[in-house]
């Protein structure tokens, strides 16, 4: 089967399974937010702030190196497994030891035991990394998404049950560990990789260098994403952090799940086009055009209906999260598009360009300290500015690798972005005329239907040719 057909088929099957899992996850998240408090989510955000960085470093990029390698021997798998064991055990011991220091940093004693509990994920990752990487390398998209779906369903049920039983933040902690364990078991079933550790590392240099750079990039990207949590937790309060964390979790839910699918699909697919960067550029353009038709209307639509959506779904105790959620909705499409470019560049064997874009983003992080002076909303506006700079850096440094001009890339975004802006402005006018005249639940339904009609009409009237071309990408 041609690579393009295999990619699109994998995307179709994976997207359907991911959509089903996503709907279940959304439902689960909304119930959890109602059951738990800003304090619980603040504690969880503090717990994951530092340990999450090292979760990315747990395999030192070995998983990505396995996927990207053009040839892979059993000897290299044994070497990779050995590195994975050493790194996972090292990070587990590290966090058990430094947990009290992290608790002192946030001035919250409860964090210590939470960090030590989450550190157990590194023990699970020993048996997760290689099967997951091999499932991606073999492009087992359908099988992998089944594992993700069943894991999401089981994790949701268990986490809700624990939250309803009054376990508070421990429901989130134990649910996270269960998810890690279930994924490890599932990946071992679809792509088992049982090898002995190796003592000889001859011939492993290339994979080690690539994995090291990929790890640095993952850590830099995670640091950029978690910088806000660390700053708010340190300079404001855990309740403020809880509000920001919930707003961002809600804003990121769709893009995180869709992005996870596209990134895993992209890494294994672009890796097979290392000798054809121009062809890879065309795949990137098509993927971007398709993604923009989903991301921009979804996020600008959520931004427009947030004043009705959040009180109705989450209850009035979360009204304070409305404006942060609206601002963060503007960030998510840019973040996901940047990550799509970064995944492609890494797969093509040029992770250094990704590193430079991330380092330039890190330089802009002090802007956050200006915004945080105005509370959570000010922090969100600063976060938007930082992400705009980051997106620009990604365009400048990564598109040349794909032999793709910025104008061509941005033109692919135009139909989705234009239709979304028209929809957004139309919904603001609709609220102005109907607010207070009908029940909020009915207003929410009317706005959703109106948004769909406005976006669809804009595409058919102004971008008919591009619309059918984009839909044609799915017919292979």
């Amino acid at each position: 089967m041609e690579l393009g057909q295999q990619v699109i088929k994998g995307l179709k099957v994976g997207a359907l399974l991911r959509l089903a899992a996503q709907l279940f996850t959304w439902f689960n998240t909304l119930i959890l937010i109602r059951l738990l408090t800003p304090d619980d989510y603040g504690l969880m955000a503090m717990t994951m702030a530092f340990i999450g960085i090292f979760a990315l470093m747990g395999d030192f990029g070995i998983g990505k190196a396995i996927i990207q390698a053009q040839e892979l021997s059993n000897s290299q798998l044994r070497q990779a497994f050995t590195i994975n064991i050493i790194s996972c055990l090292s990070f587990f011991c590290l966090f058990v030891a430094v947990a009290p220091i992290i608790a002192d940093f946030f001035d919250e004693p409860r964090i210590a035991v939470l960090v030590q509990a989450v550190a157990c994920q590194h023990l699970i990752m020993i048996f997760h990394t290689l099967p997951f990487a091999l499932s991606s390398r073999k492009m087992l998209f359908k099988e992998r998404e089944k594992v993700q779906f069943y894991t999401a369903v089981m994790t949701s049920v268990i986490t809700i049950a624990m939250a309803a039983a009054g376990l508070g933040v421990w429901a989130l902690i134990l649910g996270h560990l269960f998810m890690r364990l279930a994924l490890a078991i599932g990946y071992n079933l679809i792509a088992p990789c049982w090898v002995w550790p190796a003592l000889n590392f001859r011939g492993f240099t290339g994979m080690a260098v690539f994995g090291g750079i990929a790890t640095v990039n993952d850590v830099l990207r995670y640091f950029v994403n978690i910088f806000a949590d660390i700053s708010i937790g340190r300079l404001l309060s855990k309740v403020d952090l809880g509000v920001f964390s919930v707003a961002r979790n809600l804003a990121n839910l769709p893009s995180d799940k869709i992005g996870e699918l596209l990134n895993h699909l992209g890494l294994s697919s672009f890796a097979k086009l290392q000798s054809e960067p121009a062809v890879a550029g065309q795949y990137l353009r098509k993927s971007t055009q398709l993604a923009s038709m989903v991301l921009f209307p979804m996020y600008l639509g959520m931004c427009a209906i947030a004043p009705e959506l959040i009180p109705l779904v989450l209850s009035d105790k979360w009204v304070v999260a409305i404006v942060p959620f609206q601002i963060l909705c503007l960030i998510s499409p840019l973040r996901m598009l940047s990550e799509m470019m970064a995944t492609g560049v890494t797969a093509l064997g040029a992770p250094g360009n990704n590193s430079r874009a991330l380092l330039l983003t890190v330089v802009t992080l002090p802007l956050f300290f200006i915004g945080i002076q105005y509370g959570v909303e000010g922090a969100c506006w600063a976060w938007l500015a930082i992400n705009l700079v980051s997106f620009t850096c990604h365009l400048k440094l990564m598109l040349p690798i794909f032999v793709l001009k910025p104008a061509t890339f941005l033109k692919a975004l135009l139909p989705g972005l234009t239709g979304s802006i028209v929809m957004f402005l139309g919904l603001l006018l609709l609220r102005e005329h109907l607010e207070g005249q009908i029940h909020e639940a009915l207003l929410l339904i009317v706005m959703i239907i109106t948004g769909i009609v406005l976006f669809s009409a804009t595409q058919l009237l102004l971008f008919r040719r591009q619309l059918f071309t984009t839909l044609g990408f799915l017919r292979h």
Side-chain angles (χ1 to χ4, degrees):
M1 182 185 293
E2 181 193 334
L3 176 62
Q5 293 178 323
Q6 190 172 356
V7 170
I8 294 299
K9 182 178 180 180
L11 180 59
K12 287 178 180 177
V13 174
L16 290 174
L17 289 169
R18 185 58 61 96
L19 176 61
Q22 179 67 76
L23 292 174
F24 206 90
T25 301
W26 279 343
F27 183 68
N28 164 69
T29 301
L30 296 178
I31 294 175
L32 283 176
I33 292 173
R34 294 184 72 95
L35 290 173
L36 302 177
T37 66
D39 182 76
D40 292 324
Y41 278 95
L43 287 171
M44 185 63 176
M46 290 177 180
T47 300
M48 298 303 296
F50 289 102
I51 199 169
I53 295 177
F54 292 93
L56 293 173
M57 295 175 62
D59 68 347
F60 282 111
I62 295 302
K64 285 187 173 66
I66 290 174
I67 298 171
Q68 196 267 348
Q70 292 183 316
E71 295 183 1
L72 185 66
S73 67
N74 185 67
S75 176
Q76 288 174 314
L77 281 175
R78 291 181 61 193
Q79 293 165 341
F81 184 51
T82 306
I83 296 296
N84 189 49
I85 292 173
I86 295 172
S87 61
C88 287
L89 289 176
S90 298
F91 285 124
F92 170 73
C93 295
L94 172 67
F95 275 102
V96 169
V98 304
I101 299 174
I102 296 175
D104 289 341
F105 176 83
F106 286 115
D107 193 24
E108 176 51 72
R110 290 176 290 176
I111 294 297
V113 67
L114 297 178
V115 169
Q116 291 171 338
V118 175
C120 293
Q121 71 181 346
H122 291 287
L123 301 179
I124 300 171
M125 295 301 288
I126 292 175
F127 305 101
H128 172 278
T129 302
L130 266 63
F132 173 76
L134 289 176
S135 71
S136 295
R137 181 179 177 84
K138 296 175 182 178
M139 304 184 85
L140 301 176
F141 304 124
K142 179 179 178 180
E143 294 82 356
R144 195 178 60 197
E145 289 307 314
K146 284 183 178 179
V147 171
Q148 294 270 8
F149 172 75
Y150 292 128
T151 298
V153 171
M154 291 187 295
T155 302
S156 297
V157 171
I158 290 173
T159 306
I160 289 175
M162 289 188 292
L167 294 184
V169 68
W170 278 103
L172 300 175
I173 297 291
L174 296 176
H176 175 79
L177 291 175
F178 175 82
M179 176 195 69
R180 291 287 193 187
L181 179 61
L183 288 174
I185 294 172
Y187 291 135
N188 273 282
L189 290 175
I190 65 172
C193 182
W194 300 105
V195 295
W196 289 103
L199 297 178
N200 183 356
F201 289 90
R202 185 177 303 155
F204 193 65
T205 304
M207 288 184 67
V209 171
F210 179 89
I213 297 174
T215 298
V216 170
N217 290 342
D218 284 342
V219 171
L220 285 173
R221 189 172 297 281
Y222 185 85
F223 175 73
V224 169
N225 289 333
I226 208 67
F227 183 81
D229 286 359
I230 296 173
S231 301
I232 293 175
R234 179 67 175 158
L235 300 177
L236 296 179
S237 69
K238 61 177 176 291
V239 172
D240 290 323
L241 177 56
V243 170
F244 179 82
S245 178
V246 166
R248 188 167 67 173
N249 286 344
L250 289 174
N252 287 349
L253 265 178
S255 63
D256 280 350
K257 296 302 179 182
I258 297 172
E260 186 181 352
L261 171 63
L262 292 177
N263 288 338
H264 293 159
L265 185 66
L267 189 61
S268 52
S269 303
F270 282 120
K272 299 182 184 300
L273 297 170
Q274 294 178 56
S275 60
E276 302 177 89
V279 176
Q282 292 308 307
Y283 276 115
L284 177 66
R285 180 184 61 81
K286 292 178 179 180
S287 299
T288 298
Q289 190 165 332
L290 184 60
S292 70
M293 295 291 287
V294 176
L295 291 174
F296 287 123
M298 177 170 58
Y299 276 106
L300 286 180
M302 290 196 302
C303 179
I305 65 175
E308 290 76 29
L309 179 67
I310 288 182
L312 186 65
V313 176
L314 303 186
S315 78
D316 290 337
K317 69 178 179 181
W318 292 103
V319 168
V320 67
I322 291 176
V323 174
F325 173 73
Q326 289 178 306
I327 301 169
L328 294 171
C329 279
L330 303 177
I331 296 172
S332 287
L334 302 178
R335 184 177 63 87
M336 182 171 167
L337 292 171
S338 296
E339 291 181 3
M340 286 175 60
M341 288 185 280
T343 297
V345 163
T346 299
L348 292 179
N353 288 54
N354 189 10
S355 302
R356 286 190 284 274
L358 290 169
L359 287 171
L360 289 172
T361 304
V362 169
V363 172
T364 67
L365 290 179
L367 289 174
F368 194 78
F369 294 120
I370 299 174
I372 205 172
Q373 303 300 317
Y374 301 93
V376 175
E377 291 182 15
C380 290
W381 284 116
W383 203 236
L384 175 59
I386 290 169
N387 277 269
L388 283 170
V389 173
S390 178
F391 180 67
T392 304
C393 293
H394 279 72
L395 288 177
K396 180 71 174 176
L397 292 170
M398 296 185 185
L399 292 186
I401 302 297
F402 293 97
V403 197
L404 199 62
K405 295 180 179 179
T408 303
F409 183 88
L410 295 174
K411 185 178 179 181
L413 303 179
L414 187 61
L417 180 58
T418 302
S420 301
I421 292 174
V422 170
M423 174 195 70
F424 179 77
L425 295 175
L427 293 179
L428 293 184
L429 290 174
L430 180 64
R431 173 185 290 113
E432 185 177 339
H433 284 86
L434 295 182
E435 191 172 25
Q437 299 184 28
I438 59 176
H439 190 274
E440 286 187 354
L442 179 58
L443 176 59
L444 179 62
I445 294 172
V446 170
M447 292 183 73
I448 291 173
I449 295 173
T450 303
I452 294 172
V453 171
L454 286 174
F455 181 79
S456 302
T458 304
Q459 299 307 307
L460 290 172
L461 291 174
L462 301 180
F463 304 102
R464 181 185 297 268
R465 181 174 61 83
Q466 293 94 323
L467 174 63
F468 289 115
T469 299
T470 302
L471 294 176
F473 295 158
L474 296 175
R475 293 196 296 269
H476 275 255

